[in-house]
Amino acid sequence: MKRRSDTCQMTGDIRIHGNSSTIFVSTSDTINSSWTIKPYARKGDKGAMQNITSFTVKTVQEQAETMPKCTKTHNVPAVVFSIGGYSGNHFHAFSDTIMPLYAASRKFNREVRFLVADKKPLWTSKFQEILDKLSKYEVIDIDHENGVHCFPSMIFGLEKDDKKELNTDSIHDFRNFLRSSYSLERSTAIKLTNGSTRKPRLLIVSRKRTRAFTNVKNVVTAARAMGFEVIVTEMNANLKQTSRLVNSCDVMMGVHGAGLTNIVFMPENGVFVQVVPLGNMEWMAKTFYGEPAKGMGLSYLEYKVSKEESTLTDQYPLNHSVFDDPYSIQRQGWEAYRSTYMDKQDVKLDVVRFKETLSKALELLR
């Protein structure tokens, strides 16, 4: 068991009754035992775990009549996981579920069944290409199964690395897997030379509601003048479209947020520019996207917003603790912090200053 995830691997006669959220394991032990476990990789986070289905695992003596009769017998392993918690957030969908699921199931070469708790049809349809590439069988909505499904082995819960977020030990293989899943054409970004005729493509992730660029047109004009082909878009849930768009670009930039998770689709040697708003977000920026980007073979640039570039100056006096002491806002709790720095803040880039970052991006592509 790890700090962030409880997992259980079982082999033998494994039977699961979905409606009662109970797993029965045949054992040679003379003493029966039971314990409860939740199949979601954020066990220390009460907010995430409160709505995760809790399963009871019971060991039952071999040949005991208390083992329920099988109504469906499978000859492949099972992986049981939840898509509750923060799974609706694009970043957490990858860091808490997709990447750990890949790590757990890739070795089975699609000969594995996924049993999903807290199932959301929109989630499974969004990630259908990935699920299909990992398993040749239809996902089982285990919460609504009246029968007893029997398996020769089972992995219960997904294992998440205690120190890694948008990363995995096999990140290079994972990105190749994504390219295959979505039939992405480019494995590497453009290499600029003196005779280059094709312009490098810059993707500006433009948020509409919060942490938006208020002067995106000015940024586009400046970038085009520097030699970029520029695309401005807000990320959407259609991963077929999103993955191909991101993969076609050489540089991707955006304000810290879940849409930046799509760097997983960027070609290697591409450049990722993260714009970090006010609010002491440096740790989140580095941990969630900065370090993972480097692990993915991307060049990483960080642009920290100055006080003058934040729209918080329109809402608070310049000597307010929002600017001078972000920790005082953090101490009020996550909701207060999110409301202030995530929900109320937009960014008006100093285009002259930002052009220095774009220049660095061009240098990194050479």
Side-chain angles (χ1 to χ4, degrees), residues 90 126-127 182 237-244 262 265:
H90 193 52
K126 177 180 177 178
F127 294 103
Y182 291 100
N238 186 328
L239 287 189
K240 279 186 185 177
Q241 291 178 1
T242 297
S243 63
R244 287 170 189 168
N262 293 304
F265 302 119

Side-chain angles (χ1 to χ4, degrees), residues 211 329 333-345:
R211 283 160 282 153
I329 309 297
W334 169 248
E335 290 302 323
Y337 178 85
R338 184 178 69 181
S339 172
T340 302
Y341 295 112
M342 299 285 200
D343 297 343
K344 294 179 182 177
Q345 183 172 199

